[in-house]
Amino acid sequence: MNDKDYQAILAKLTLDEKVCMCSGSTTWLTQPIKRDDVDIPAVRMSDGPVGLRREKMSGGVNIMQIPEPATCFPGAVTTASSWDEDLIEEVGHAIAVEAQSLGVSTVLGPGVNIKRSPLCGRNFEYFSEDPFLAGRMGAAWVHGVQKTNVGTSLKHYLANNQEYIRMCIDSIVDERTLREIYMPAFEHIVKTEHPTTVMCSYNRLNGTYLSDNKRFLTDVLRDEWGYKGIVVSDWGAVNNRAEGIKAGMDLEMPGGKGIGFNGNNIYNALENGTLTEEDIDKVVLRLIKFAYENKVREVDGVTYDVEEHNQIARRAAEGGAVLLKNDGALPLKANQSIAVIGKLAKKLRYQGGGSSHILPHKVTSFLDALDNAGQKYEYADGYTLKGEGYKKSLIKKAVKAAKGKDAVLLFIGLTDAFESEGYDRSHIKMPTSHVTLVNELLKVNKNVIVVLSCGSPVEIGEWDKGVKAILNVYLGGQAGGEATYNLLYGKVNPSGKLAETFPVCENDYLGSKYFRMGPRTVEYRESVYVGYRYYDSAKK
Ligand code: GLC
C-alpha cells in the first residue's frame, strides 16, 4: 500500500467515520472502520517499557485490569547503567516477541524524559540526566522492538519531568535549555529510528498543552525533524480536541464508543468554522497509514521460550548493576559464613509502580538464588516494607544474626511507598530504618556489604564510609535476585556505570530548589545545569 492507496481510502470515508478515527475504540484499540468497500484495521497498543502489560480484558475504561503474564525486564534506570546498546536492543526485541505472541502491535515505550531532579517519582522508568545517553539508550530499545515488526511510542513528549500535578503543570523552559537538554533524546530517536508513534505528554510547555501544541507537534517534530509517524495522546491528556487536530495531535487515547470522549468538540469546531474537514483529513490520512502498517498482528503461533527470556532479563540486570564501592570485600567466597539482612532480599523490589507495572512469569529473589545455589546463610527481615519500616524487634534480630559472621549482606534502598508514577519524592533519603540498620550492624560486624535496591538516587553519604562495599542493583526485573547472586559471588563482573548523579546530600543540588513548584507553573531556572552539568560547574 502507498500514499495514493491511503488517499483513495480517505476519499471513501464519511465525516462521521473520520471523526471516529480521531480517537481509539477502547482503552487499547484504535478505531477500525469495516463496511462494504472499506476495511481499516484496528491497532492494539499496550504498555510498556519493562515488559508487556496486555490486559486480559480488551475493553472497558479502567486501564488497570489484570494483565497477562509476561517477562519483567529491568527498567530503563537499570539498563541505561549498562551503557550497552546491544543489550538494550536484545531486551526490546524480546518484549516485541512477547507483544506479537499476544497480538499487540504497538508497545508504549520507551520513556526518555530527562531526569531533571532525582525527586521525580517516575525516574525509574527513564534512562538518564544526560540527553546524549538517554537518546542512545532509548534508540536501542526502539530499534530492538521495531526490527521485530512491532511499533513503539516515544514518550512523554515534552518536558514532562515531574509527577506533581502532571495533568496541568506548565513547564516554563527557555529555548536553549529545551534544545540542549530536553529535546535532543527525542530528536535523536525520531531521526534515527523513526518510532511509529510519539506520545504527547499531559503537561503544558510555556503556556500551551502539548496535546494542542502546534509548535512542538508540527513545526518541530514534523517540519524540522521530518517525523512521518503519528502523535498519540497520553491516556487522558487531550485538552482541546479540535485545537489538537490543527496542532498535529492525531489520536486521542483512550477511546470510547463511536466518536469518542471529545468527538462533539470536533463537530462544534467544524460548525463555528475554527476547524475544517481538510484539517481532519490530514490527521485521518496519517491514521489510515498507521492502521495498515501497524494493524493488530493476531499473528497466530508466535511463541517464545519463557526461560530464555528470563535469562535475557538476568543478563540485563547484571549489566545494569553499578559497583559504587568495593574495598576488597567482594567477590564473596562460598565458604564464608554470611548473614542476609533486609526484607528486600526476600521480597525483591524488581519494578516500579504505575502504568509500567506488569505481572511477571516468575520472580527470583536473592534468597531464592542462594537456595538454588545451595549457599548457607542466616536471614533476618531487619525492617518492614511499610512507611519508614521501623520495628525495634526486627533490628535486634538482625544485629544478632550479624554477630560473628564473615560477611553481612544488607539489602536496603527504596520501597514502593517511596517512589512511583503519579507522585514525586519530597527528599532523597531511604526509610529511616534502613539507615539505623547500617549503623547498628556496623557496631557488631565491620564486614558489611550493602546491596542498594532503588529506582532513583538515595543519600548514602551518612554511611558509605563505614561499609566495605556497595552494589547498586537498582530495580533488576524478575531475575534480579539471581543477577545479584552472580555479581556478589563473582560469577559476573559488575561493570555498570551510573547514568545519573547520586547527590551526596539533596540540598547540594540546585535543581531541587526549583523542582515541582506549582500551583500552576514549574520554572526550569537551573537551565542547562542539570545533573553532572551542575555539579561540575559548581564544583560539588
Ligand atoms: C499513563 C502513562 C503512559 C502510559 C499510558 C497508558 O498515564 O503516562 O506512560 O503509557 O498512561 O497506560
Side-chain angles (χ1 to χ4, degrees), residues 28 47 53 122 155-156 166 199 202 234 355 421:
W28 304 112
D47 290 303
R53 182 166 74 92
R122 215 170 168 183
K155 68 189 188 183
H156 307 87
R166 64 175 177 165
M199 185 187 291
Y202 289 116
D234 198 341
S355 60
E421 175 183 345

Side-chain angles (χ1 to χ4, degrees), residues 489-532:
Y489 280 87
K491 304 197 180 335
V492 172
N493 183 37
S495 47
K497 302 284 182 296
L498 287 180
E500 61 184 334
T501 306
F502 269 57
V504 172
C505 61
E506 187 201 333
N507 40 25
D508 268 358
Y509 184 50
L510 173 68
S512 293
K513 251 168 75 184
Y514 308 118
F515 182 75
R516 222 177 8 233
M517 289 172 90
R520 303 294 291 169
T521 61
V522 56
E523 295 161 4
Y524 288 41
R525 291 194 207 171
E526 74 284 355
S527 177
V528 296
Y529 297 102
V530 174
Y532 69 86

